[in-house]
Amino acid sequence: MRIQPLPPQLVNQIAAGEVVERPASVIKELVENSLDAGATRIEIEVEQGGVKLIRVRDNGRGIHPDDLSLALSRHATSKISSLEELERVSSMGFRGEALPSIASVSRLTVIARQAGADQGWQLSGDGREEAGGLTPAAHPEGTSVEVRDLFFNTPARRKFLRTEKTEYGHIETLVKRLALSRFDVAFSLRHNRREVLSLPAAPDRHAQERRVAGLLGPAFLEQALYLEQGHTELALSGWVAHPTFSRSQADMQYFYVNGRTVRDRLVSHAVRQAYSDVLYQGRHPAYLLYLSVDPVLVDVNVHPTKHEVRFRDGRQVHDFLFRTLHRTLSETSPGQGVDRETGEILSAAGVAEPGAVAANQRESQQPGAGQQPFRFQLKDQRAGYRASLDLQRPPPAMGVAATHPEQQEIPPLGYALAQLRGVYILAENAAGLVVVDMHAAHERITYERFKRDRAGEGIRSQPLLVPVSVAVSQREADLAESNQALFSGLGMEVDRLSDQALVVRAIPVLLQGSDAERLLRDLLSDLVVHGESGRIQEAIDQVLSSMACHGSVRANRRLTLEEMNALLREMETTERGDQCNHGRPTWVQLGMEGLDRLFLRGR
């Protein structure tokens, strides 16, 4: 067959295969156009999961009547006009393919009215090559796009659509993602003429958190840490959930780059590293994060759906994300302070309703032999007990002024009262009762001490009795040769034997007995993909975690009040003291209100 040009309609339908996968894909393109048009209110209406009808209306700038026909032409756009603008593109859409692609597989109508215009104008198409003529139409300022009978002229595509419930589920998920990307815009969603979402604009932090709680659930916000960090080229803000609020699947991970939702391996790797030693195995963190990058430093034109991006300096972005998140998660300790008015511990973890404590019992807390001495120094504990006892004294007689300066000096986790079943420490603080899992708490304290010791001395290496030769590609050999300092800092000695061969002569002492070849290949794989590797650190951290577990106080170990209080004080100064090495909580707070509800006080 001879080479020949394709008909324009077929070209558009082929392009539709890239950008119009299902009804949700249509809504994504239309809503992004509305956002680019400066809309502050976007109304979305669908019927039968979007197959019968999709209507998106906004209050944006509208479209000039002379441009309406161009809007349905391929590669016609108002968003870029030169290569320089493409390299710094900040709009959500810019290819000029969405509307013509949608029009080629549906019955499409566009009605638009510009600000200050006397009337709106309408343009319709029914999947054919040429759209109909312009006609006047009544319409408020802004644009409405109506898509009916999606894939009516491409039955093979329509057969791949799922049930109405499934397709609508994709739409609702998408609208939530869009609503989380732009707090300054009001969104509404109706399905089969029933209102599902009505979200007013959220101009301030309080209103934004109200939207987040409404879309992701109040539990996420209650267990989330807010962060805001950055400089000229890179800035990160948003919420990361405490490790104890982990998920069985990665269904609550929202990451935006310059307002665009993305799924990126580099981002996922940086987040996973930040959670590396605080998350239970097999669990997934929850987060809602916004990365702002100079547009010239990120390429958003990698994929037709723009779900993927490419950073000009991926390593810089990875390091920035990891450091920022790692620092935020490191600050989760019960020693950050106490609210002077409520007595509440200023930390994202450890708040529980009565009845939640029993769920934290673990299999690892079994009675063990050969207990090590409890290694806490005792400092000024008796003064603390006096302050605790003073709080329990009867109040002064009526009319006698009294102050309790000791109450202001009560540490966040308070003072120990007793030990329960050799597993939990019961303590009293300004807010009420604190219950501490002593094994989990001591495990975290011991683990962080091991890590500090390692950081001070560096990672010691162990020469291999028999060096291990590893066949690699030339690229991997070049990477290993140019990263000698990295390997040395990780306690490994790796030399180049030839163009495609390396030899491992030493590995970290804590990893002796490990598979040296597999370790090297994993490291090289990380260097190829991410430009760096944290595998050795993670492997050593796992060893240290196991050591900390074995070296920590076991269940059924009886502690004195002095020892219990020493443990509480150490928890307050330990990074990540709110959870053990496996991401489980080390303490919970039972406030007076919760206890009163338990005993029906005040009813």
mmCIF file of all heavy atoms in Angstrom, residues 177-212:
data_model
loop_
_atom_site.group_PDB
_atom_site.id
_atom_site.type_symbol
_atom_site.label_atom_id
_atom_site.label_comp_id
_atom_site.label_asym_id
_atom_site.label_seq_id
_atom_site.Cartn_x
_atom_site.Cartn_y
_atom_site.Cartn_z
ATOM 1 N N ARG A 177 -9.654 15.136 43.103
ATOM 2 C CA ARG A 177 -8.256 15.514 42.864
ATOM 3 C C ARG A 177 -8.156 16.944 42.351
ATOM 4 O O ARG A 177 -7.283 17.703 42.769
ATOM 5 C CB ARG A 177 -7.610 14.552 41.859
ATOM 6 C CG ARG A 177 -7.251 13.196 42.437
ATOM 7 C CD ARG A 177 -6.416 12.379 41.478
ATOM 8 N NE ARG A 177 -5.993 11.135 42.090
ATOM 9 C CZ ARG A 177 -4.902 10.991 42.836
ATOM 10 N NH1 ARG A 177 -4.128 12.040 43.051
ATOM 11 N NH2 ARG A 177 -4.581 9.819 43.356
ATOM 12 N N LEU A 178 -9.056 17.311 41.433
ATOM 13 C CA LEU A 178 -9.039 18.676 40.906
ATOM 14 C C LEU A 178 -9.393 19.684 41.992
ATOM 15 O O LEU A 178 -8.793 20.760 42.081
ATOM 16 C CB LEU A 178 -10.012 18.783 39.734
ATOM 17 C CG LEU A 178 -9.608 18.028 38.464
ATOM 18 C CD1 LEU A 178 -10.785 17.928 37.496
ATOM 19 C CD2 LEU A 178 -8.422 18.712 37.786
ATOM 20 N N ALA A 179 -10.358 19.346 42.831
ATOM 21 C CA ALA A 179 -10.761 20.265 43.902
ATOM 22 C C ALA A 179 -9.648 20.452 44.921
ATOM 23 O O ALA A 179 -9.521 21.521 45.537
ATOM 24 C CB ALA A 179 -12.025 19.749 44.585
ATOM 25 N N LEU A 180 -8.828 19.419 45.123
ATOM 26 C CA LEU A 180 -7.699 19.539 46.046
ATOM 27 C C LEU A 180 -6.538 20.309 45.433
ATOM 28 O O LEU A 180 -5.639 20.746 46.145
ATOM 29 C CB LEU A 180 -7.228 18.145 46.476
ATOM 30 C CG LEU A 180 -8.175 17.384 47.406
ATOM 31 C CD1 LEU A 180 -7.728 15.937 47.554
ATOM 32 C CD2 LEU A 180 -8.268 18.056 48.769
ATOM 33 N N SER A 181 -6.557 20.473 44.113
ATOM 34 C CA SER A 181 -5.459 21.186 43.460
ATOM 35 C C SER A 181 -5.667 22.692 43.469
ATOM 36 O O SER A 181 -4.708 23.457 43.364
ATOM 37 C CB SER A 181 -5.294 20.708 42.006
ATOM 38 O OG SER A 181 -6.342 21.201 41.192
ATOM 39 N N ARG A 182 -6.926 23.146 43.562
ATOM 40 C CA ARG A 182 -7.214 24.571 43.477
ATOM 41 C C ARG A 182 -8.222 24.968 44.543
ATOM 42 O O ARG A 182 -9.437 24.885 44.351
ATOM 43 C CB ARG A 182 -7.753 24.910 42.077
ATOM 44 C CG ARG A 182 -6.717 24.787 40.973
ATOM 45 C CD ARG A 182 -5.655 25.875 41.067
ATOM 46 N NE ARG A 182 -6.241 27.197 40.903
ATOM 47 C CZ ARG A 182 -6.378 27.803 39.730
ATOM 48 N NH1 ARG A 182 -5.963 27.205 38.628
ATOM 49 N NH2 ARG A 182 -6.899 29.011 39.670
ATOM 50 N N PHE A 183 -7.715 25.401 45.690
ATOM 51 C CA PHE A 183 -8.593 25.823 46.781
ATOM 52 C C PHE A 183 -9.310 27.134 46.467
ATOM 53 O O PHE A 183 -10.329 27.444 47.078
ATOM 54 C CB PHE A 183 -7.785 25.985 48.068
ATOM 55 C CG PHE A 183 -7.306 24.689 48.652
ATOM 56 C CD1 PHE A 183 -5.959 24.365 48.648
ATOM 57 C CD2 PHE A 183 -8.193 23.783 49.188
ATOM 58 C CE1 PHE A 183 -5.506 23.174 49.183
ATOM 59 C CE2 PHE A 183 -7.769 22.578 49.726
ATOM 60 C CZ PHE A 183 -6.416 22.267 49.722
ATOM 61 N N ASP A 184 -8.777 27.915 45.513
ATOM 62 C CA ASP A 184 -9.374 29.209 45.201
ATOM 63 C C ASP A 184 -10.570 29.109 44.279
ATOM 64 O O ASP A 184 -11.192 30.129 43.943
ATOM 65 C CB ASP A 184 -8.321 30.124 44.564
ATOM 66 C CG ASP A 184 -7.733 29.514 43.283
ATOM 67 O OD1 ASP A 184 -7.578 28.282 43.251
ATOM 68 O OD2 ASP A 184 -7.438 30.270 42.346
ATOM 69 N N VAL A 185 -10.924 27.898 43.856
ATOM 70 C CA VAL A 185 -12.017 27.695 42.911
ATOM 71 C C VAL A 185 -13.130 26.899 43.589
ATOM 72 O O VAL A 185 -12.873 25.916 44.290
ATOM 73 C CB VAL A 185 -11.527 26.951 41.651
ATOM 74 C CG1 VAL A 185 -12.675 26.685 40.692
ATOM 75 C CG2 VAL A 185 -10.414 27.738 40.968
ATOM 76 N N ALA A 186 -14.383 27.320 43.367
ATOM 77 C CA ALA A 186 -15.541 26.576 43.863
ATOM 78 C C ALA A 186 -15.911 25.490 42.861
ATOM 79 O O ALA A 186 -15.911 25.735 41.644
ATOM 80 C CB ALA A 186 -16.717 27.521 44.080
ATOM 81 N N PHE A 187 -16.208 24.293 43.349
ATOM 82 C CA PHE A 187 -16.563 23.162 42.489
ATOM 83 C C PHE A 187 -17.921 22.593 42.914
ATOM 84 O O PHE A 187 -18.238 22.560 44.107
ATOM 85 C CB PHE A 187 -15.528 22.030 42.599
ATOM 86 C CG PHE A 187 -14.202 22.327 41.971
ATOM 87 C CD1 PHE A 187 -13.208 22.992 42.685
ATOM 88 C CD2 PHE A 187 -13.925 21.927 40.675
ATOM 89 C CE1 PHE A 187 -11.972 23.259 42.122
ATOM 90 C CE2 PHE A 187 -12.689 22.187 40.101
ATOM 91 C CZ PHE A 187 -11.724 22.857 40.820
ATOM 92 N N SER A 188 -18.685 22.145 41.929
ATOM 93 C CA SER A 188 -19.900 21.389 42.232
ATOM 94 C C SER A 188 -19.986 20.228 41.257
ATOM 95 O O SER A 188 -19.531 20.317 40.110
ATOM 96 C CB SER A 188 -21.148 22.267 42.137
ATOM 97 O OG SER A 188 -21.392 22.647 40.790
ATOM 98 N N LEU A 189 -20.570 19.112 41.722
ATOM 99 C CA LEU A 189 -20.709 17.914 40.894
ATOM 100 C C LEU A 189 -22.109 17.353 41.087
ATOM 101 O O LEU A 189 -22.559 17.153 42.225
ATOM 102 C CB LEU A 189 -19.657 16.866 41.286
ATOM 103 C CG LEU A 189 -19.791 15.482 40.637
ATOM 104 C CD1 LEU A 189 -19.615 15.572 39.123
ATOM 105 C CD2 LEU A 189 -18.777 14.500 41.243
ATOM 106 N N ARG A 190 -22.794 17.097 39.968
ATOM 107 C CA ARG A 190 -24.119 16.480 39.984
ATOM 108 C C ARG A 190 -24.076 15.231 39.102
ATOM 109 O O ARG A 190 -23.497 15.239 38.027
ATOM 110 C CB ARG A 190 -25.185 17.448 39.449
ATOM 111 C CG ARG A 190 -25.397 18.659 40.319
ATOM 112 C CD ARG A 190 -26.355 19.657 39.648
ATOM 113 N NE ARG A 190 -27.676 19.073 39.445
ATOM 114 C CZ ARG A 190 -28.640 19.073 40.355
ATOM 115 N NH1 ARG A 190 -28.420 19.645 41.544
ATOM 116 N NH2 ARG A 190 -29.818 18.539 40.115
ATOM 117 N N HIS A 191 -24.715 14.163 39.610
ATOM 118 C CA HIS A 191 -24.814 12.926 38.841
ATOM 119 C C HIS A 191 -26.272 12.500 38.776
ATOM 120 O O HIS A 191 -26.931 12.362 39.817
ATOM 121 C CB HIS A 191 -23.977 11.813 39.478
ATOM 122 C CG HIS A 191 -23.987 10.540 38.688
ATOM 123 N ND1 HIS A 191 -24.126 9.291 39.270
ATOM 124 C CD2 HIS A 191 -23.891 10.314 37.346
ATOM 125 C CE1 HIS A 191 -24.102 8.358 38.324
ATOM 126 N NE2 HIS A 191 -23.964 8.949 37.152
ATOM 127 N N ASN A 192 -26.761 12.313 37.561
ATOM 128 C CA ASN A 192 -28.174 11.965 37.361
ATOM 129 C C ASN A 192 -29.089 12.921 38.116
ATOM 130 O O ASN A 192 -30.028 12.523 38.805
ATOM 131 C CB ASN A 192 -28.437 10.515 37.773
ATOM 132 C CG ASN A 192 -27.739 9.519 36.865
ATOM 133 O OD1 ASN A 192 -27.406 9.826 35.710
ATOM 134 N ND2 ASN A 192 -27.489 8.321 37.367
ATOM 135 N N ARG A 193 -28.753 14.216 38.009
ATOM 136 C CA ARG A 193 -29.522 15.327 38.573
ATOM 137 C C ARG A 193 -29.525 15.361 40.097
ATOM 138 O O ARG A 193 -30.337 16.045 40.704
ATOM 139 C CB ARG A 193 -30.972 15.299 38.050
ATOM 140 C CG ARG A 193 -31.048 15.359 36.538
ATOM 141 C CD ARG A 193 -32.461 15.473 36.039
ATOM 142 N NE ARG A 193 -32.483 15.532 34.579
ATOM 143 C CZ ARG A 193 -33.598 15.676 33.860
ATOM 144 N NH1 ARG A 193 -34.766 15.778 34.478
ATOM 145 N NH2 ARG A 193 -33.534 15.714 32.537
ATOM 146 N N ARG A 194 -28.601 14.652 40.711
ATOM 147 C CA ARG A 194 -28.464 14.678 42.176
ATOM 148 C C ARG A 194 -27.130 15.308 42.537
ATOM 149 O O ARG A 194 -26.095 14.916 42.010
ATOM 150 C CB ARG A 194 -28.543 13.262 42.750
ATOM 151 C CG ARG A 194 -28.449 13.204 44.273
ATOM 152 C CD ARG A 194 -28.585 11.767 44.753
ATOM 153 N NE ARG A 194 -27.468 10.944 44.313
ATOM 154 C CZ ARG A 194 -26.308 10.820 44.987
ATOM 155 N NH1 ARG A 194 -26.127 11.482 46.115
ATOM 156 N NH2 ARG A 194 -25.361 10.045 44.509
ATOM 157 N N GLU A 195 -27.166 16.292 43.440
ATOM 158 C CA GLU A 195 -25.932 16.974 43.829
ATOM 159 C C GLU A 195 -25.090 16.053 44.711
ATOM 160 O O GLU A 195 -25.568 15.527 45.716
ATOM 161 C CB GLU A 195 -26.247 18.268 44.580
ATOM 162 C CG GLU A 195 -24.996 19.081 44.897
ATOM 163 C CD GLU A 195 -25.321 20.438 45.491
ATOM 164 O OE1 GLU A 195 -25.614 20.485 46.702
ATOM 165 O OE2 GLU A 195 -25.278 21.435 44.743
ATOM 166 N N VAL A 196 -23.849 15.882 44.322
ATOM 167 C CA VAL A 196 -22.937 15.011 45.067
ATOM 168 C C VAL A 196 -21.905 15.835 45.833
ATOM 169 O O VAL A 196 -21.597 15.549 46.992
ATOM 170 C CB VAL A 196 -22.220 14.037 44.114
ATOM 171 C CG1 VAL A 196 -21.283 13.118 44.896
ATOM 172 C CG2 VAL A 196 -23.233 13.221 43.323
ATOM 173 N N LEU A 197 -21.356 16.845 45.188
ATOM 174 C CA LEU A 197 -20.351 17.697 45.825
ATOM 175 C C LEU A 197 -20.725 19.161 45.629
ATOM 176 O O LEU A 197 -21.166 19.555 44.542
ATOM 177 C CB LEU A 197 -18.960 17.454 45.220
ATOM 178 C CG LEU A 197 -18.252 16.138 45.518
ATOM 179 C CD1 LEU A 197 -16.949 16.062 44.724
ATOM 180 C CD2 LEU A 197 -17.976 15.980 47.003
ATOM 181 N N SER A 198 -20.538 19.942 46.668
ATOM 182 C CA SER A 198 -20.709 21.390 46.577
ATOM 183 C C SER A 198 -19.634 22.011 47.451
ATOM 184 O O SER A 198 -19.745 22.021 48.681
ATOM 185 C CB SER A 198 -22.100 21.815 47.043
ATOM 186 O OG SER A 198 -22.239 23.220 46.946
ATOM 187 N N LEU A 199 -18.579 22.492 46.807
ATOM 188 C CA LEU A 199 -17.402 22.958 47.537
ATOM 189 C C LEU A 199 -17.182 24.440 47.270
ATOM 190 O O LEU A 199 -16.788 24.827 46.157
ATOM 191 C CB LEU A 199 -16.160 22.171 47.093
ATOM 192 C CG LEU A 199 -16.244 20.642 47.231
ATOM 193 C CD1 LEU A 199 -15.059 19.996 46.549
ATOM 194 C CD2 LEU A 199 -16.309 20.237 48.697
ATOM 195 N N PRO A 200 -17.430 25.302 48.256
ATOM 196 C CA PRO A 200 -17.147 26.729 48.059
ATOM 197 C C PRO A 200 -15.652 26.969 47.998
ATOM 198 O O PRO A 200 -14.843 26.116 48.403
ATOM 199 C CB PRO A 200 -17.774 27.386 49.302
ATOM 200 C CG PRO A 200 -17.775 26.307 50.337
ATOM 201 C CD PRO A 200 -17.964 25.012 49.597
ATOM 202 N N ALA A 201 -15.258 28.109 47.474
ATOM 203 C CA ALA A 201 -13.836 28.467 47.445
ATOM 204 C C ALA A 201 -13.287 28.504 48.865
ATOM 205 O O ALA A 201 -13.997 28.823 49.827
ATOM 206 C CB ALA A 201 -13.652 29.814 46.762
ATOM 207 N N ALA A 202 -12.007 28.172 49.007
ATOM 208 C CA ALA A 202 -11.367 28.101 50.329
ATOM 209 C C ALA A 202 -10.163 29.043 50.346
ATOM 210 O O ALA A 202 -9.041 28.638 50.062
ATOM 211 C CB ALA A 202 -10.929 26.663 50.626
ATOM 212 N N PRO A 203 -10.387 30.307 50.689
ATOM 213 C CA PRO A 203 -9.312 31.297 50.570
ATOM 214 C C PRO A 203 -8.266 31.254 51.672
ATOM 215 O O PRO A 203 -7.164 31.765 51.492
ATOM 216 C CB PRO A 203 -10.072 32.631 50.601
ATOM 217 C CG PRO A 203 -11.308 32.330 51.398
ATOM 218 C CD PRO A 203 -11.662 30.917 51.094
ATOM 219 N N ASP A 204 -8.596 30.682 52.838
ATOM 220 C CA ASP A 204 -7.632 30.691 53.942
ATOM 221 C C ASP A 204 -7.371 29.270 54.426
ATOM 222 O O ASP A 204 -8.022 28.307 54.010
ATOM 223 C CB ASP A 204 -8.124 31.566 55.099
ATOM 224 C CG ASP A 204 -9.513 31.176 55.583
ATOM 225 O OD1 ASP A 204 -9.787 29.962 55.678
ATOM 226 O OD2 ASP A 204 -10.341 32.077 55.845
ATOM 227 N N ARG A 205 -6.388 29.131 55.301
ATOM 228 C CA ARG A 205 -5.967 27.810 55.783
ATOM 229 C C ARG A 205 -7.114 27.048 56.456
ATOM 230 O O ARG A 205 -7.285 25.841 56.247
ATOM 231 C CB ARG A 205 -4.793 28.018 56.752
ATOM 232 C CG ARG A 205 -4.398 26.802 57.573
ATOM 233 C CD ARG A 205 -3.332 25.955 56.919
ATOM 234 N NE ARG A 205 -2.939 24.897 57.822
ATOM 235 C CZ ARG A 205 -2.001 25.022 58.743
ATOM 236 N NH1 ARG A 205 -1.330 26.155 58.862
ATOM 237 N NH2 ARG A 205 -1.697 24.017 59.536
ATOM 238 N N HIS A 206 -7.918 27.746 57.240
ATOM 239 C CA HIS A 206 -9.024 27.081 57.941
ATOM 240 C C HIS A 206 -10.014 26.500 56.942
ATOM 241 O O HIS A 206 -10.449 25.352 57.061
ATOM 242 C CB HIS A 206 -9.721 28.084 58.867
ATOM 243 C CG HIS A 206 -10.868 27.487 59.630
ATOM 244 N ND1 HIS A 206 -10.692 26.548 60.628
ATOM 245 C CD2 HIS A 206 -12.218 27.686 59.514
ATOM 246 C CE1 HIS A 206 -11.886 26.188 61.110
ATOM 247 N NE2 HIS A 206 -12.814 26.868 60.458
ATOM 248 N N ALA A 207 -10.377 27.294 55.925
ATOM 249 C CA ALA A 207 -11.315 26.821 54.911
ATOM 250 C C ALA A 207 -10.708 25.690 54.081
ATOM 251 O O ALA A 207 -11.392 24.743 53.684
ATOM 252 C CB ALA A 207 -11.730 27.979 54.012
ATOM 253 N N GLN A 208 -9.408 25.766 53.812
ATOM 254 C CA GLN A 208 -8.734 24.706 53.057
ATOM 255 C C GLN A 208 -8.775 23.390 53.818
ATOM 256 O O GLN A 208 -9.028 22.328 53.250
ATOM 257 C CB GLN A 208 -7.299 25.121 52.758
ATOM 258 C CG GLN A 208 -7.185 26.273 51.767
ATOM 259 C CD GLN A 208 -5.796 26.859 51.708
ATOM 260 O OE1 GLN A 208 -4.842 26.318 52.282
ATOM 261 N NE2 GLN A 208 -5.656 27.988 51.012
ATOM 262 N N GLU A 209 -8.537 23.465 55.114
ATOM 263 C CA GLU A 209 -8.559 22.242 55.907
ATOM 264 C C GLU A 209 -9.970 21.678 55.996
ATOM 265 O O GLU A 209 -10.155 20.459 56.087
ATOM 266 C CB GLU A 209 -7.978 22.512 57.295
ATOM 267 C CG GLU A 209 -6.483 22.804 57.254
ATOM 268 C CD GLU A 209 -5.848 22.877 58.627
ATOM 269 O OE1 GLU A 209 -6.596 23.066 59.610
ATOM 270 O OE2 GLU A 209 -4.610 22.736 58.706
ATOM 271 N N ARG A 210 -10.972 22.564 55.947
ATOM 272 C CA ARG A 210 -12.347 22.086 55.922
ATOM 273 C C ARG A 210 -12.600 21.302 54.633
ATOM 274 O O ARG A 210 -13.252 20.252 54.647
ATOM 275 C CB ARG A 210 -13.298 23.277 56.041
ATOM 276 C CG ARG A 210 -14.611 22.941 56.709
ATOM 277 C CD ARG A 210 -15.384 24.139 57.202
ATOM 278 N NE ARG A 210 -15.374 25.250 56.272
ATOM 279 C CZ ARG A 210 -15.005 26.476 56.593
ATOM 280 N NH1 ARG A 210 -14.574 26.746 57.811
ATOM 281 N NH2 ARG A 210 -15.043 27.455 55.705
ATOM 282 N N ARG A 211 -12.090 21.804 53.504
ATOM 283 C CA ARG A 211 -12.244 21.076 52.234
ATOM 284 C C ARG A 211 -11.498 19.757 52.278
ATOM 285 O O ARG A 211 -12.009 18.732 51.819
ATOM 286 C CB ARG A 211 -11.761 21.927 51.051
ATOM 287 C CG ARG A 211 -11.890 21.212 49.722
ATOM 288 C CD ARG A 211 -11.425 22.044 48.533
ATOM 289 N NE ARG A 211 -12.347 23.111 48.188
ATOM 290 C CZ ARG A 211 -12.297 23.801 47.044
ATOM 291 N NH1 ARG A 211 -11.352 23.520 46.144
ATOM 292 N NH2 ARG A 211 -13.151 24.770 46.801
ATOM 293 N N VAL A 212 -10.276 19.765 52.782
ATOM 294 C CA VAL A 212 -9.483 18.533 52.871
ATOM 295 C C VAL A 212 -10.207 17.491 53.713
ATOM 296 O O VAL A 212 -10.313 16.317 53.338
ATOM 297 C CB VAL A 212 -8.089 18.828 53.449
ATOM 298 C CG1 VAL A 212 -7.341 17.528 53.734
ATOM 299 C CG2 VAL A 212 -7.282 19.691 52.492
#
